Amino acid sequence: MTMATMAITATGLTKSYGDKVVLDGLDLAIPQGSIFALLGPNGAGKTTTVQILSTLIPADGGRAAVAGHDVAHDGEAVREAIGVTGQFAAVDNLLTAEENLLLMADLNHLPRREGRRRAAELLRRFDLAEAAGGTALTLSGGMRRKLDLAMTLIGDPRVIFLDEPTTGLDPRSRRVMWEIIRDLVTGRGVTIFLTTQYLEEADQLADRVAVLDHGKLVAEGTPQELKRRIPGHHIRLSFADADRLASAAALFDQAATDAETLTLRIPGNGGVPALRAVLDVLDRAAVQAEELTVHSPDLDEVFLTLTGRPHSGALEKEGLR
């Protein structure tokens, strides 16, 4: 892709606070109409990256452009092209849902008639029309997040920065937000720059994922490409009894046996050729497996391997935070 087709580019971005280096030569190239997820441990530099790209703070060095505009020298044009949704819904609790949208229309200098048209359209699109006249304080968490994103869209941005957009939402509300985010890209060609603490979210949404650690990108690629870099792919076979398990174990040199669960774990990438080869070996030996499953490393394992520590979400699940 050419630079003209990139929604966000960065070359050698640096940022320090005193002796603490937060960004150390960050390079990015994010195509238009895609979803890009930036992952990293706490303090890795994710928020600083978003702040620089959205013109909230200057970089110490390097260059960046958003929607074709230089971040350092054409900040006003960048701000006109972007929307930013933070971790916590930035709605006014004393205003109604409709009033929040109309306020954002005024802040974007939209003509009154156009502002009302866009507000009504977004209320319908985000399934908020019935709640339009109620104060934001009465909305559920999921509805508040939808309203917050609708407020970001009132200015029709080409690039949207989403900082942990589903934090605190229940699983159903989170999946509704995922559908909305996907639609923004497929239906409107918007580019999404996503930070998230839910690695499943990055796996479900992102076209490309980058892992940031100590201010440096340590890996970048599609979720599948990153998973393939990590060891741990295997095929798991279950058997009806110990005799069949023993017979199967004798057929595969590198297999690991679990006598308690009557399972055999065979290293393999889970691709069709590998699966066919395993089944062919079993068929020739007339050994029947009860069940076959394929395991691939998930982004949690990728994160742990690349950064040397569990992701914050994993820490929370284990009760370590």
Side-chain angles (χ1 to χ4, degrees):
M1 290 187 179
T2 65
M3 295 301 286
T5 62
M6 294 295 167
I8 300 172
T9 59
T11 305
L13 282 187
T14 61
K15 184 68 178 179
S16 299
Y17 293 99
D19 295 333
K20 180 175 176 58
V21 177
V22 181
L23 291 181
D24 189 8
L26 179 67
D27 296 332
L28 295 171
I30 302 172
Q32 297 175 9
S34 66
I35 301 177
F36 176 86
L38 185 64
L39 309 178
N42 292 334
K46 303 187 301 297
T47 298
T48 298
T49 301
V50 171
Q51 290 175 332
I52 290 172
L53 295 175
S54 59
T55 76
L56 291 175
I57 62 173
D60 294 337
R63 298 189 62 182
V66 176
H69 305 290
D70 187 277
V71 168
H73 300 105
D74 203 359
E76 184 174 349
V78 171
R79 289 187 288 275
E80 289 178 354
I82 68 173
V84 181
T85 297
Q87 180 177 350
F88 303 102
V91 301
D92 190 319
N93 287 329
L94 300 181
L95 298 180
T96 67
E98 182 180 31
E99 288 169 344
N100 269 285
L101 288 169
L102 293 175
L103 174 62
M104 289 304 297
D106 289 341
L107 292 174
N108 280 276
H109 307 294
L110 295 179
R112 183 169 296 274
R113 186 172 181 179
E114 176 63 12
R116 288 189 175 279
R117 186 193 68 78
R118 290 195 192 180
E121 176 191 349
L122 288 166
L123 287 169
R124 287 193 301 271
R125 184 176 179 194
F126 284 75
D127 200 20
L128 292 170
E130 292 186 4
T135 62
L137 190 62
T138 65
L139 299 178
S140 67
M143 294 174 75
R144 287 169 61 84
R145 292 303 288 170
K146 288 198 291 183
L147 176 59
D148 192 31
L149 183 52
M151 291 165 62
T152 298
L153 294 175
I154 199 82
D156 200 22
R158 294 152 55 193
V159 177
I160 299 177
F161 294 93
L162 298 180
D163 184 15
E164 301 189 9
T166 63
T167 295
L169 296 187
D170 61 80
R172 182 181 180 280
S173 296
R174 184 174 300 133
R175 292 187 180 277
V176 169
M177 284 296 293
W178 291 355
E179 292 174 8
I180 291 171
I181 291 168
R182 290 189 189 102
D183 182 60
L184 288 173
V185 176
T186 59
R188 299 173 56 137
V190 172
T191 303
I192 302 290
F193 188 108
L194 172 74
T195 69
T196 179
Q197 64 173 319
Y198 302 113
L199 297 188
E200 180 194 7
E201 186 161 87
D203 202 357
Q204 288 282 336
L205 292 176
D207 300 299
R208 294 187 69 79
V209 173
V211 180
L212 187 66
D213 194 24
H214 294 100
K216 290 180 175 290
L217 284 187
V218 294
E220 182 178 355
T222 68
Q224 291 304 317
E225 287 171 347
L226 294 185
K227 292 173 191 176
R228 284 197 293 268
R229 294 177 54 173
I230 306 302
H233 297 79
H234 64 268
I235 298 166
R236 187 173 181 269
L237 298 169
S238 299
F239 296 90
D241 53 55
D243 289 340
R244 293 183 188 182
L245 173 63
S247 298
L251 301 173
F252 301 97
D253 293 337
Q254 297 180 324
T257 302
D258 187 331
E260 184 175 345
T261 61
L262 297 176
T263 58
L264 192 66
R265 176 172 162 167
I266 305 169
N269 61 16
V272 172
L275 291 174
R276 185 178 292 117
V278 168
L279 293 175
D280 286 346
V281 170
L282 293 174
D283 284 344
R284 285 195 295 269
V287 177
Q288 182 177 353
E290 296 297 305
E291 185 179 359
L292 181 151
T293 56
V294 177
H295 173 82
S296 298
D298 58 22
L299 284 184
D300 280 292
E301 294 169 274
V302 172
F303 192 96
L304 174 60
T305 301
L306 294 174
T307 67
R309 47 194 149 167
H311 188 264
S312 57
L315 290 172
E316 289 165 0
K317 285 187 284 188
E318 294 298 327
L320 299 176
R321 289 193 68 192

